[in-house]
Amino acid sequence: MVDLSSADAHHEESDFRWVFSVDGSSNQQGSRAGVILEGPNGLLIEQALWFAFKANNNQTEYEALIVGILLAKEMGAHSLLAKSDSLLVTGQVTGEYQAKDPQMEAYLEYVQVLKKSFVVFKLVHVPREQNARADLLAKLANSGKGGKQRTVIQETLKTPRTFTVDNSVGVHQVSTSGGGKRSNRSVS
């Protein structure tokens, strides 16, 4: 696993055209996550996720990672640097840790499939202090105050992702902050 200091992180980022940071958390008030994708020419996309289902911290971290990867893929990224403050998720994705829980194994398998969408993909662990913006987005998702910030996409995940043998993932009833529903879809 790669752990980046502040100077190393800045140098590492310059090697990639697309960089995203994720943070997820779960407590008695609910589960939420934040995703920040930075691309060429100053492109910045911020997404706050609120989970309408009970999820643990590791699930929220994986869900945020998957959302970030899918967003970068949709934006046409070819080389992607992902940053997370989750030692467990980062360690599992880099192969340093094993996924023993069936749910974590399914998430890990799907992330491994998604990584193949990029010429270069790297996930690094960053200290929590260097992930403050993603953490703030996760908190925003729980506050319900995001509607006034037009640059932040807010979504509610109604159910956890479901994985199939052919490595596709189903997303069921995703709502945007405007209250509208997107259609059910399957992503390969």
Side-chain angles (χ1 to χ4, degrees):
M1 174 175 24
V2 178
D3 199 355
L4 296 181
S5 68
S6 182
D8 291 339
H10 182 66
H11 174 71
E12 183 83 21
E13 285 180 29
S14 65
D15 295 339
F16 289 87
R17 291 183 51 118
W18 294 87
V19 177
F20 78 90
S21 301
V22 297
D23 190 34
S25 66
S26 182
N27 59 31
Q28 291 177 336
Q29 283 79 41
S31 303
R32 57 210 180 273
V35 178
I36 299 170
L37 177 65
E38 299 175 73
N41 302 319
L43 177 73
L44 177 67
I45 301 172
E46 298 174 316
Q47 189 163 7
L49 302 167
W50 182 78
F51 300 84
F53 57 92
K54 181 79 172 136
N56 63 39
N57 282 328
N58 296 327
Q59 281 180 284
T60 63
E61 292 283 351
Y62 263 116
E63 290 281 356
L65 180 62
I66 290 167
V67 165
I69 293 171
L70 291 172
L71 184 58
K73 182 179 174 182
E74 186 175 325
M75 295 301 297
H78 297 289
S79 64
L80 182 62
L81 173 65
K83 300 187 291 185
S84 172
D85 60 15
S86 171
L87 277 170
L88 179 78
V89 171
T90 303
Q92 288 177 349
V93 172
T94 60
E96 192 168 321
Y97 300 160
Q98 288 183 343
K100 296 179 181 177
D101 176 76
Q103 181 73 34
M104 296 302 106
E105 287 176 353
Y107 279 122
L108 176 58
E109 185 177 325
Y110 188 57
V111 168
Q112 298 298 0
V113 169
L114 288 175
K115 284 174 30 176
K116 295 175 185 173
S117 302
F118 303 94
V119 175
V120 179
F121 176 89
K122 187 172 188 178
L123 174 62
V124 296
H125 177 261
V126 293
R128 185 156 301 194
E129 310 81 61
Q130 292 179 24
N131 211 25
R133 282 176 52 206
D135 181 56
L136 285 173
L137 278 173
K139 289 177 180 166
L140 173 68
N142 215 31
S143 72
K145 296 180 182 175
K148 296 176 185 159
Q149 294 181 313
R150 300 198 188 281
T151 61
V152 177
I153 300 165
Q154 286 193 300
E155 286 193 8
T156 300
L157 299 181
K158 301 282 186 184
T159 59
R161 294 171 197 279
T162 56
F163 303 92
T164 62
V165 177
D166 68 355
N167 291 324
S168 64
V169 63
V171 179
H172 307 283
Q173 293 184 353
V174 177
S175 298
T176 62
S177 60
K181 289 185 179 177
R182 288 196 220 170
S183 62
N184 293 346
R185 59 187 169 157
S186 181
V187 180
S188 296

